[in-house]
């Protein structure tokens, strides 16, 4: 019962709309952007710690 309801909901998604295409593009790039942002924060923190130790 639950699976048939879920399947029918999937069939009703409009994949031609601009909102869907925009969300799909953002969703495909978002993990890479988040990883890049976290890496940048870690690098900045490491650089600040090294500067403090050098003084």
């Amino acid at each position: 019962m639950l699976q048939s309801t879920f399947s029918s909901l999937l069939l009703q998604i409009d994949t031609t709309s601009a909102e869907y295409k925009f969300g799909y593009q953002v969703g495909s790039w978002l993990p890479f952007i988040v990883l890049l942002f976290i890496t940048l924060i870690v690098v900045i923190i490491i650089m600040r710690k090294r500067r403090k130790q050098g003084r």
Side-chain angles (χ1 to χ4, degrees):
M1 172 96 179
L2 181 62
Q3 187 176 6
S4 64
T5 304
F6 185 69
S7 297
S8 66
L9 287 175
L10 287 178
L11 294 176
Q12 296 174 1
I13 295 174
D14 181 18
T15 58
T16 60
S17 69
E19 293 88 4
Y20 178 86
K21 291 178 181 178
F22 178 75
Y24 184 81
Q25 289 296 320
V26 169
S28 66
W29 283 100
L30 192 59
F32 299 107
I33 293 170
V34 169
L35 286 174
L36 182 65
F37 184 70
I38 291 172
T39 304
L40 183 64
I41 290 174
V42 169
V43 168
I44 290 172
I45 290 172
I46 291 172
M47 287 175 54
R48 287 184 179 180
K49 285 185 179 182
R50 286 186 181 172
R51 282 189 205 160
K52 286 183 180 181
Q53 289 175 355
R55 289 184 181 178

